[in-house]
Amino acid sequence: TTFDVDVLAILCSAGTSGCRPKLLQWAVSDCPYLYTLALRVHCALPRWMGGTRAVAWAQSLLEVICVAEGKAVGRGQSQVASCIAALLSSCPPEHAASWAQSALAPLLWPEASDGPPPPALWTLARRLSVALSREPGSVPLRAISERLAELACSQERRRCQRHELRAL
């Protein structure tokens, strides 16, 4: 119920021992009920955490999904990306927009990074493009799409990675 989701969100936002690791386990679970519960809790978290603490949690989740650099994106990473999108869709727009822009910066300026952006970041960009399509946070997502179109049509004929083309 909504009451149960709010109680779980309150416990997570209060930092109750073991709640956030359990929420992360549910987010990567192959059990649809637990994954759906994790999505619902992530939607409720900003109400109890506030925007600043919610984007700090989003940053923690981003670090989790970007650990497996260079590998294909798995189910768990995709599900956590969806939880991040659900979390940010409930955040105040100014918090969501600034976090999305900084989190997706490696996609906008890959030459500033040591290597190619992690594939999970492309998955997150797709999830955020749906969740934040009507919010100010969509600005960096549009910029990423435009940059990919430029690269794909450029004279350089730079070889795009498969996940870049799929994101386009």
Side-chain angles (χ1 to χ4, degrees), residues 4-29:
D4 296 331
V5 169
D6 278 338
V7 168
L8 290 169
I10 290 169
L11 291 172
C12 286
S13 66
T16 304
S17 178
C19 282
R20 290 184 191 171
K22 186 59 75 177
L23 182 58
L24 182 57
Q25 284 179 351
W26 295 343
V28 299
S29 175

mmCIF file of all heavy atoms in Angstrom, residues 4-29:
data_model
loop_
_atom_site.group_PDB
_atom_site.id
_atom_site.type_symbol
_atom_site.label_atom_id
_atom_site.label_comp_id
_atom_site.label_asym_id
_atom_site.label_seq_id
_atom_site.Cartn_x
_atom_site.Cartn_y
_atom_site.Cartn_z
ATOM 1 N N ASP A 4 2.604 1.721 3.341
ATOM 2 C CA ASP A 4 3.797 0.887 3.502
ATOM 3 C C ASP A 4 4.992 1.468 2.755
ATOM 4 O O ASP A 4 6.115 1.470 3.265
ATOM 5 C CB ASP A 4 3.537 -0.538 3.012
ATOM 6 C CG ASP A 4 2.469 -1.263 3.824
ATOM 7 O OD1 ASP A 4 2.317 -0.954 5.020
ATOM 8 O OD2 ASP A 4 1.779 -2.126 3.239
ATOM 9 N N VAL A 5 4.758 1.961 1.558
ATOM 10 C CA VAL A 5 5.831 2.564 0.757
ATOM 11 C C VAL A 5 6.368 3.801 1.474
ATOM 12 O O VAL A 5 7.584 4.000 1.561
ATOM 13 C CB VAL A 5 5.332 2.901 -0.664
ATOM 14 C CG1 VAL A 5 6.333 3.768 -1.408
ATOM 15 C CG2 VAL A 5 5.057 1.620 -1.441
ATOM 16 N N ASP A 6 5.467 4.617 2.018
ATOM 17 C CA ASP A 6 5.907 5.812 2.740
ATOM 18 C C ASP A 6 6.707 5.453 3.989
ATOM 19 O O ASP A 6 7.703 6.104 4.298
ATOM 20 C CB ASP A 6 4.724 6.697 3.114
ATOM 21 C CG ASP A 6 4.268 7.584 1.966
ATOM 22 O OD1 ASP A 6 5.083 7.836 1.053
ATOM 23 O OD2 ASP A 6 3.102 8.023 1.979
ATOM 24 N N VAL A 7 6.293 4.420 4.696
ATOM 25 C CA VAL A 7 7.038 3.990 5.886
ATOM 26 C C VAL A 7 8.444 3.543 5.492
ATOM 27 O O VAL A 7 9.435 3.917 6.141
ATOM 28 C CB VAL A 7 6.289 2.862 6.643
ATOM 29 C CG1 VAL A 7 7.175 2.214 7.697
ATOM 30 C CG2 VAL A 7 5.016 3.411 7.282
ATOM 31 N N LEU A 8 8.550 2.762 4.424
ATOM 32 C CA LEU A 8 9.870 2.335 3.956
ATOM 33 C C LEU A 8 10.715 3.535 3.528
ATOM 34 O O LEU A 8 11.913 3.597 3.806
ATOM 35 C CB LEU A 8 9.731 1.338 2.810
ATOM 36 C CG LEU A 8 9.202 -0.038 3.183
ATOM 37 C CD1 LEU A 8 8.865 -0.841 1.933
ATOM 38 C CD2 LEU A 8 10.204 -0.782 4.045
ATOM 39 N N ALA A 9 10.097 4.497 2.854
ATOM 40 C CA ALA A 9 10.819 5.697 2.427
ATOM 41 C C ALA A 9 11.286 6.507 3.635
ATOM 42 O O ALA A 9 12.409 7.026 3.646
ATOM 43 C CB ALA A 9 9.937 6.552 1.523
ATOM 44 N N ILE A 10 10.465 6.607 4.649
ATOM 45 C CA ILE A 10 10.849 7.328 5.869
ATOM 46 C C ILE A 10 12.028 6.632 6.540
ATOM 47 O O ILE A 10 12.990 7.275 6.962
ATOM 48 C CB ILE A 10 9.642 7.447 6.835
ATOM 49 C CG1 ILE A 10 8.607 8.405 6.261
ATOM 50 C CG2 ILE A 10 10.092 7.901 8.216
ATOM 51 C CD1 ILE A 10 7.274 8.394 6.981
ATOM 52 N N LEU A 11 11.960 5.299 6.633
ATOM 53 C CA LEU A 11 13.063 4.556 7.255
ATOM 54 C C LEU A 11 14.370 4.741 6.467
ATOM 55 O O LEU A 11 15.436 4.922 7.059
ATOM 56 C CB LEU A 11 12.713 3.070 7.372
ATOM 57 C CG LEU A 11 11.609 2.724 8.375
ATOM 58 C CD1 LEU A 11 11.217 1.255 8.260
ATOM 59 C CD2 LEU A 11 12.045 3.054 9.792
ATOM 60 N N CYS A 12 14.274 4.707 5.155
ATOM 61 C CA CYS A 12 15.474 4.911 4.328
ATOM 62 C C CYS A 12 16.004 6.323 4.466
ATOM 63 O O CYS A 12 17.210 6.537 4.568
ATOM 64 C CB CYS A 12 15.169 4.614 2.858
ATOM 65 S SG CYS A 12 15.004 2.863 2.503
ATOM 66 N N SER A 13 15.111 7.298 4.468
ATOM 67 C CA SER A 13 15.559 8.687 4.552
ATOM 68 C C SER A 13 16.114 9.014 5.927
ATOM 69 O O SER A 13 16.990 9.870 6.041
ATOM 70 C CB SER A 13 14.427 9.645 4.196
ATOM 71 O OG SER A 13 13.399 9.581 5.147
ATOM 72 N N ALA A 14 15.647 8.316 6.942
ATOM 73 C CA ALA A 14 16.170 8.538 8.294
ATOM 74 C C ALA A 14 17.506 7.849 8.509
ATOM 75 O O ALA A 14 18.162 8.073 9.519
ATOM 76 C CB ALA A 14 15.155 8.048 9.332
ATOM 77 N N GLY A 15 17.910 7.028 7.554
ATOM 78 C CA GLY A 15 19.197 6.341 7.681
ATOM 79 C C GLY A 15 19.153 5.152 8.618
ATOM 80 O O GLY A 15 20.183 4.757 9.165
ATOM 81 N N THR A 16 17.987 4.568 8.784
ATOM 82 C CA THR A 16 17.841 3.389 9.644
ATOM 83 C C THR A 16 18.765 2.284 9.145
ATOM 84 O O THR A 16 18.834 2.008 7.950
ATOM 85 C CB THR A 16 16.376 2.909 9.659
ATOM 86 O OG1 THR A 16 15.545 3.990 10.076
ATOM 87 C CG2 THR A 16 16.196 1.728 10.591
ATOM 88 N N SER A 17 19.470 1.702 10.063
ATOM 89 C CA SER A 17 20.481 0.694 9.742
ATOM 90 C C SER A 17 19.918 -0.420 8.857
ATOM 91 O O SER A 17 18.896 -1.022 9.174
ATOM 92 C CB SER A 17 21.031 0.092 11.034
ATOM 93 O OG SER A 17 21.967 -0.902 10.747
ATOM 94 N N GLY A 18 20.589 -0.640 7.733
ATOM 95 C CA GLY A 18 20.241 -1.733 6.842
ATOM 96 C C GLY A 18 19.167 -1.434 5.815
ATOM 97 O O GLY A 18 18.943 -2.252 4.911
ATOM 98 N N CYS A 19 18.501 -0.296 5.903
ATOM 99 C CA CYS A 19 17.394 -0.001 4.974
ATOM 100 C C CYS A 19 17.881 0.281 3.560
ATOM 101 O O CYS A 19 17.324 -0.252 2.595
ATOM 102 C CB CYS A 19 16.569 1.166 5.481
ATOM 103 S SG CYS A 19 15.436 0.685 6.789
ATOM 104 N N ARG A 20 18.890 1.117 3.418
ATOM 105 C CA ARG A 20 19.343 1.455 2.069
ATOM 106 C C ARG A 20 19.993 0.271 1.359
ATOM 107 O O ARG A 20 19.730 0.053 0.169
ATOM 108 C CB ARG A 20 20.262 2.672 2.099
ATOM 109 C CG ARG A 20 19.489 3.939 2.450
ATOM 110 C CD ARG A 20 20.333 5.162 2.387
ATOM 111 N NE ARG A 20 19.620 6.282 2.986
ATOM 112 C CZ ARG A 20 20.154 7.445 3.225
ATOM 113 N NH1 ARG A 20 21.412 7.678 2.917
ATOM 114 N NH2 ARG A 20 19.447 8.401 3.780
ATOM 115 N N PRO A 21 20.823 -0.529 2.046
ATOM 116 C CA PRO A 21 21.336 -1.730 1.361
ATOM 117 C C PRO A 21 20.215 -2.682 0.938
ATOM 118 O O PRO A 21 20.274 -3.282 -0.138
ATOM 119 C CB PRO A 21 22.261 -2.379 2.391
ATOM 120 C CG PRO A 21 22.685 -1.264 3.286
ATOM 121 C CD PRO A 21 21.498 -0.341 3.338
ATOM 122 N N LYS A 22 19.191 -2.804 1.758
ATOM 123 C CA LYS A 22 18.053 -3.656 1.413
ATOM 124 C C LYS A 22 17.304 -3.081 0.213
ATOM 125 O O LYS A 22 16.907 -3.818 -0.697
ATOM 126 C CB LYS A 22 17.111 -3.794 2.618
ATOM 127 C CG LYS A 22 15.966 -4.760 2.421
ATOM 128 C CD LYS A 22 16.416 -6.158 2.098
ATOM 129 C CE LYS A 22 16.963 -6.883 3.286
ATOM 130 N NZ LYS A 22 17.340 -8.275 2.997
ATOM 131 N N LEU A 23 17.149 -1.758 0.163
ATOM 132 C CA LEU A 23 16.497 -1.113 -0.970
ATOM 133 C C LEU A 23 17.287 -1.368 -2.251
ATOM 134 O O LEU A 23 16.708 -1.642 -3.302
ATOM 135 C CB LEU A 23 16.343 0.384 -0.715
ATOM 136 C CG LEU A 23 15.630 1.206 -1.777
ATOM 137 C CD1 LEU A 23 14.214 0.694 -2.030
ATOM 138 C CD2 LEU A 23 15.605 2.675 -1.372
ATOM 139 N N LEU A 24 18.601 -1.329 -2.154
ATOM 140 C CA LEU A 24 19.437 -1.620 -3.325
ATOM 141 C C LEU A 24 19.286 -3.081 -3.747
ATOM 142 O O LEU A 24 19.220 -3.379 -4.936
ATOM 143 C CB LEU A 24 20.902 -1.293 -3.026
ATOM 144 C CG LEU A 24 21.880 -1.506 -4.162
ATOM 145 C CD1 LEU A 24 21.491 -0.694 -5.389
ATOM 146 C CD2 LEU A 24 23.289 -1.154 -3.718
ATOM 147 N N GLN A 25 19.193 -3.994 -2.796
ATOM 148 C CA GLN A 25 18.958 -5.410 -3.128
ATOM 149 C C GLN A 25 17.638 -5.581 -3.865
ATOM 150 O O GLN A 25 17.551 -6.342 -4.832
ATOM 151 C CB GLN A 25 18.939 -6.265 -1.862
ATOM 152 C CG GLN A 25 20.289 -6.525 -1.268
ATOM 153 C CD GLN A 25 20.171 -7.373 0.009
ATOM 154 O OE1 GLN A 25 19.071 -7.621 0.530
ATOM 155 N NE2 GLN A 25 21.312 -7.801 0.522
ATOM 156 N N TRP A 26 16.618 -4.874 -3.410
ATOM 157 C CA TRP A 26 15.318 -4.960 -4.081
ATOM 158 C C TRP A 26 15.397 -4.376 -5.484
ATOM 159 O O TRP A 26 14.757 -4.878 -6.406
ATOM 160 C CB TRP A 26 14.249 -4.234 -3.286
ATOM 161 C CG TRP A 26 13.946 -4.823 -1.951
ATOM 162 C CD1 TRP A 26 14.265 -6.075 -1.506
ATOM 163 C CD2 TRP A 26 13.276 -4.188 -0.875
ATOM 164 N NE1 TRP A 26 13.831 -6.252 -0.217
ATOM 165 C CE2 TRP A 26 13.218 -5.107 0.200
ATOM 166 C CE3 TRP A 26 12.722 -2.924 -0.694
ATOM 167 C CZ2 TRP A 26 12.614 -4.803 1.416
ATOM 168 C CZ3 TRP A 26 12.124 -2.624 0.519
ATOM 169 C CH2 TRP A 26 12.070 -3.553 1.545
ATOM 170 N N ALA A 27 16.180 -3.314 -5.645
ATOM 171 C CA ALA A 27 16.293 -2.659 -6.953
ATOM 172 C C ALA A 27 16.918 -3.581 -7.994
ATOM 173 O O ALA A 27 16.589 -3.498 -9.174
ATOM 174 C CB ALA A 27 17.099 -1.369 -6.833
ATOM 175 N N VAL A 28 17.822 -4.464 -7.586
ATOM 176 C CA VAL A 28 18.471 -5.372 -8.537
ATOM 177 C C VAL A 28 17.856 -6.766 -8.535
ATOM 178 O O VAL A 28 18.307 -7.654 -9.250
ATOM 179 C CB VAL A 28 20.000 -5.484 -8.275
ATOM 180 C CG1 VAL A 28 20.665 -4.144 -8.438
ATOM 181 C CG2 VAL A 28 20.283 -6.076 -6.915
ATOM 182 N N SER A 29 16.805 -6.949 -7.767
ATOM 183 C CA SER A 29 16.179 -8.257 -7.625
ATOM 184 C C SER A 29 15.543 -8.738 -8.924
ATOM 185 O O SER A 29 15.002 -7.957 -9.704
ATOM 186 C CB SER A 29 15.106 -8.195 -6.534
ATOM 187 O OG SER A 29 14.414 -9.415 -6.450
#
